[in-house]
Amino acid sequence: MAEPAFPTVDTAGPRMTLVLGSGSPRRLELLAQLGVVPGDIRPPDIDEDPMPGELPRPYCVRLAREKAQAIPSADTEIVLSADTTVALGRRILGKPRDAGEAAEFLTKLSGRRHRVITAVAVRRGDRIWERDVVTQVQMKNLSNEELNAYLASGDWQGKAGGYGIQGFAGAFIPWINGSFTSVVGLPLAETANLLLAAGYPLYKPAD
């Protein structure tokens, strides 16, 4: 099936710069794989609590959009925001508050398949281009030794579901079906299409 076509904007005029609406170093590293260096980094300050009864995918999409909308920008700036959510059935596993909650999340994920959802929102002025990617992930059965070693590493901090596939926990993930970069925090193929649609000069040499 062909990828959906995004309506693009006229790229004539001043060169657009990118504002990364995220404090995630992983997203900054992923953008670097596209050759993109943001002109500025402006993490948004929004309420990330789920609404009552909100399901993981709509929750993730809403947060990415609200983050993009919350960041002030100039006419020559394109804002990119994203949100990554781990879903176990209908349950949202966000960033654990402490090691105890990280242990709870990892124990629930141990030996089970779950979904990792990353939603991306790109805003230029009042227009927003959006995409979300769902990847199926299998976690191995974790031994107490593996769990305790991971908790002691501190790598769970600031990561949805209490783990990061690109680090220590990569050894716990024998199988995924979908986008690896989405599980890390930013689906590169989809993000590139969104940036192009918004008029960002992704594949053009700098002036």
Side-chain angles (χ1 to χ4, degrees):
M1 181 183 297
E3 289 291 321
F6 295 103
T8 58
V9 298
D10 185 0
T11 57
R15 186 178 181 88
M16 304 301 293
T17 60
L18 184 70
V19 173
L20 176 59
S22 171
S24 166
R26 295 170 296 281
R27 294 194 177 114
L28 190 61
E29 291 167 1
L30 287 166
L31 281 174
Q33 291 183 222
L34 293 175
V36 174
V37 178
D40 198 9
I41 297 174
R42 300 173 198 162
D45 182 16
I46 67 167
D47 181 2
E48 297 192 19
D49 290 337
M51 295 179 178
E54 192 169 28
L55 295 176
R57 191 170 183 176
Y59 162 77
C60 191
V61 170
R62 176 177 65 81
L63 278 196
R65 183 187 308 121
E66 289 184 358
K67 288 176 182 179
Q69 292 171 329
I71 297 169
S73 62
D75 291 342
T76 56
E77 292 178 328
I78 293 173
V79 176
L80 184 152
S81 293
D83 186 76
T84 299
T85 297
V86 170
L88 187 60
R90 297 166 64 91
R91 182 174 179 183
I92 296 168
L93 303 184
K95 299 172 184 176
R97 295 184 295 268
D98 51 36
E101 189 167 51
E104 176 193 344
F105 288 174
L106 291 166
T107 299
K108 289 182 181 298
L109 294 172
S110 175
R112 302 178 66 180
R113 287 188 183 182
H114 59 278
R115 291 173 294 141
V116 177
I117 306 155
T118 295
V120 184
V122 172
R123 180 176 63 81
R124 180 175 180 176
D126 294 330
R127 295 185 62 180
I128 294 182
W129 294 260
E130 302 175 272
R131 184 72 187 271
D132 63 278
V133 177
V134 181
T135 301
Q136 302 287 334
V137 180
Q138 172 76 40
M139 184 173 285
K140 63 173 286 188
N141 284 304
L142 299 179
S143 67
N144 287 335
E145 184 179 26
E146 289 167 330
L147 176 60
N148 290 331
Y150 189 65
L151 294 173
S153 76
D155 192 56
W156 54 268
Q157 297 180 56
K159 296 180 175 68
Y163 78 93
I165 194 172
Q166 73 283 359
F168 186 168
F172 303 156
I173 309 297
W175 176 91
I176 73 168
N177 182 17
S179 168
F180 177 82
T181 56
S182 180
V183 178
V184 176
L186 195 68
L188 287 187
E190 293 78 8
T191 298
N193 285 338
L194 293 174
L195 290 173
L196 289 169
Y200 183 77
L202 184 59
Y203 301 121
K204 296 180 181 179
D207 294 335

